[in-house]
Amino acid sequence: MRKVVLFIAMSLDGYIADKSGGVDWLNGEDENAKSVDTYSAFIKNVDTVIMGWNTYHQVVTELSPLEWPYSGLTSYIITNRTLSSSGEIIFISKSPCELVQQLSQEKGKDIWICGGADIIHQLMQKNLIDIYYISIIPTILGNGIPLFGPIGSELKLKLVNTQTSNGITDLIYEKRA
């Protein structure tokens, strides 16, 4: 069965974006220092990306406007907008939980939950995330879009790995039975 993986960075105080949705603070202690490339190892096990409209829009307008960075992966963009899908980018209005439950039953590699906070929150409420790969950035934002919110129940996790590079701490948890 495919694993559902949250691979995301957050500030030390738990935010995935600043109050205006910006992510230009996503770097280590020294912007010129070489950091460990965790993304390349992670992405080898993924063939599907799920994100919301805001995350998609930020990717195509700010972060990578000239090239879709998830080429080779099937990308599901959850939105209520009526848009035409093209090749690897599929616009869908299904709930994140329905989509994940459907895709989990299909053959393939892992499913990456890329963002945003509302999608993550809904999946956490139904305990549908198998692996939490969270990079803690050495920045305190003081305000912004929080990664975690109330979910109504406790989720027990097991720490399976940690790694630190350039002040960034990667924590990898799996859900416990």
Side-chain angles (χ1 to χ4, degrees):
M1 192 162 168
R2 303 168 80 179
K3 299 270 188 197
V4 178
V5 183
L6 173 63
F7 182 90
I8 200 162
M10 73 176 191
S11 64
L12 182 60
D13 54 346
Y15 298 104
I16 59 173
D18 64 26
K19 61 185 174 186
S20 62
V23 292
D24 58 351
W25 52 271
L26 287 174
N27 47 46
E29 297 167 338
D30 180 355
E31 291 183 35
N32 299 316
K34 187 171 182 160
S35 296
V36 173
D37 179 13
T38 55
Y39 177 80
S40 293
F42 162 76
I43 207 67
K44 288 178 185 175
N45 297 316
V46 170
D47 66 3
T48 304
V49 181
I50 296 174
M51 68 183 75
W53 170 259
N54 291 338
T55 302
Y56 169 78
H57 188 259
Q58 186 174 43
V59 169
V60 298
T61 60
E62 293 175 43
L63 304 176
S64 186
L66 302 177
E67 178 183 7
W68 181 243
Y70 311 121
S71 180
L73 306 175
T74 303
S75 299
Y76 289 90
I77 316 306
I78 298 175
T79 180
N80 290 324
R81 291 170 171 81
T82 305
L83 300 165
S84 297
S85 299
S86 60
E88 299 173 329
I89 301 174
I90 301 165
F91 296 99
I92 191 164
S93 62
K94 238 179 212 185
S95 84
C97 297
E98 286 178 68
L99 180 60
V100 163
Q101 288 169 330
Q102 173 195 325
L103 294 174
S104 294
Q105 300 305 313
E106 297 174 1
K107 290 189 177 206
K109 294 181 178 183
D110 291 345
I111 300 164
W112 173 20
I113 307 305
C114 183
D118 185 52
I119 289 171
I120 295 164
H121 188 248
Q122 289 179 58
L123 294 170
M124 288 179 67
Q125 285 179 316
K126 299 287 186 184
N127 199 17
L128 293 175
I129 299 172
D130 299 305
I131 300 170
Y132 292 78
Y133 194 121
I134 301 172
S135 296
I136 309 297
I137 306 299
T139 299
I140 295 174
L141 290 176
N143 195 355
I145 300 170
L147 175 56
F148 301 112
I151 57 170
S153 63
E154 180 178 72
L155 297 178
K156 294 191 180 282
L157 305 175
K158 174 185 174 186
L159 181 66
V160 294
N161 197 12
T162 63
Q163 174 176 281
T164 302
S165 173
N166 193 22
I168 299 171
T169 300
D170 299 316
L171 303 170
I172 304 173
Y173 292 94
E174 291 179 350
K175 69 178 172 181
R176 287 190 269 164

